[in-house]
Amino acid sequence: MKTPVIGITLDSEEAGGYSKLPWYALRQNYAEVVTASGGLPLALPHEPDLVAQYATMLDGLMVTGGAFDVDPGMFGATTRHDTVITKDRRTLFEKTMTEAMLAADKPVLGICGGQQLLHVILGGTLIQHIPDEVENPLAHEQSNPRTEPGHDVKIIPGTLLHRIVGTDRLPVNSAHHQAAKDISDTITVNAIAEDGVIEGIEDSRYRFCLGVQWHPEYMISDGDRLILDAFIRAAKEGPK
């Protein structure tokens, strides 16, 4: 069985810092966990016109997080919170890429902001700023290092995520100010924080369509490793 090729979406930055020209960025641990689970990581520049070619060559897609937000207009919001920051070309590429992979029934794993985008693609809406919409929220932008847990989540029995991690609770790291809100008829919530914030979603119409609000690439629990292993395994198996 060939090594599955896993596309990993890059972040993008304007000129300054690393380069005097606009540049792409990716934390090494995104690629490292794909390799450790048996996949071949492939970084994806934001080229919407090349999505069809990417989708043909890829066996799975990892949509990464970043310090930016989905445009509220994508889920029908008529207002935009002051904290919202968008990266329109990145979001356009990730949306188009995700839709192409789902159409081909190839595995998609959305991480943090990638989970939020997946939620919107599947017909859901987002909380634009947790402190303004959730009563007594947890510290979803944790102050301790991302290599440590920030809080626990409850894993919903009967879901794909529960079958993967085999436990009812999981410690997770947390680095987000937005979250999934309203769900569509096709979205299944698979993880919830103690304050009621949705921490994971999936869609059973597809072989593997999973989003988690935390960052399993840091591998702070056995559950994180199991999520990556299941994702790569699904990519190896290919569409039915």
Side-chain angles (χ1 to χ4, degrees):
M1 185 177 293
K2 77 180 185 71
T3 301
V5 180
I6 306 300
I8 306 176
T9 61
L10 294 162
D11 198 6
S12 60
E13 295 292 345
E14 296 301 323
Y18 172 76
S19 174
K20 294 180 181 179
L21 297 173
W23 47 283
Y24 289 118
L26 182 72
R27 262 190 289 103
Q28 290 184 20
N29 57 354
Y30 279 117
E32 288 169 349
V33 294
V34 167
T35 302
S37 292
L40 177 66
L42 179 67
L44 301 177
H46 305 158
E47 298 293 342
D49 292 342
L50 300 181
V51 161
Q53 294 177 65
Y54 283 139
T56 298
M57 68 185 296
L58 296 177
D59 299 299
L61 175 68
M62 177 185 289
V63 186
T64 62
F68 74 107
D69 307 297
V70 174
D71 186 334
M74 287 181 59
F75 51 89
T78 57
T79 61
R80 177 187 292 217
H81 196 275
D82 291 342
T83 59
V84 169
I85 298 171
T86 62
K87 293 185 177 181
D88 295 338
R89 184 174 175 83
R90 174 178 174 176
T91 296
L92 172 62
F93 172 74
E94 290 183 326
K95 177 178 182 292
T96 309
M97 192 73 244
T98 298
E99 290 171 340
M101 293 294 283
L102 291 177
D105 201 17
K106 294 183 177 183
V108 172
L109 175 61
I111 294 176
C112 196
Q115 183 253 20
Q116 294 168 13
L117 178 61
L118 180 61
H119 188 74
V120 172
I121 290 171
L122 297 175
T125 67
L126 298 178
I127 295 172
Q128 292 193 41
H129 192 56
I130 290 172
D132 285 2
E133 295 193 47
V134 177
E135 186 175 357
N136 299 317
L138 297 172
H140 288 281
E141 293 184 281
Q142 68 185 55
S143 58
N144 56 312
R146 302 292 185 259
T147 52
E148 301 172 358
H151 59 79
D152 284 2
V153 297
K154 177 184 177 182
I155 309 298
I156 308 302
T159 61
L160 170 64
L161 181 61
H162 191 271
R163 293 194 295 274
I164 290 171
V165 299
T167 184
D168 294 336
R169 296 185 71 84
L170 203 63
V172 301
N173 50 20
S174 194
H176 61 106
H177 79 108
Q178 297 199 333
K181 188 176 182 179
D182 301 314
I183 65 172
S184 68
D185 292 340
T186 66
I187 294 172
T188 297
V189 175
N190 55 33
I192 302 176
E194 294 291 346
D195 58 6
V197 168
I198 294 172
E199 292 278 338
I201 61 166
E202 58 193 58
D203 188 333
S204 61
R205 293 177 298 171
Y206 307 102
R207 289 191 305 116
F208 191 102
C209 176
L210 180 69
V212 293
Q213 186 60 76
W214 62 94
H215 284 270
E217 72 275 15
Y218 282 92
M219 293 293 168
I220 65 170
S221 74
D222 291 339
D224 289 342
R225 166 57 65 193
L226 292 169
I227 290 169
L228 269 297
D229 285 347
F231 170 55
I232 301 302
R233 186 164 57 249
K236 285 181 179 179
E237 293 169 355
K240 301 300 183 185

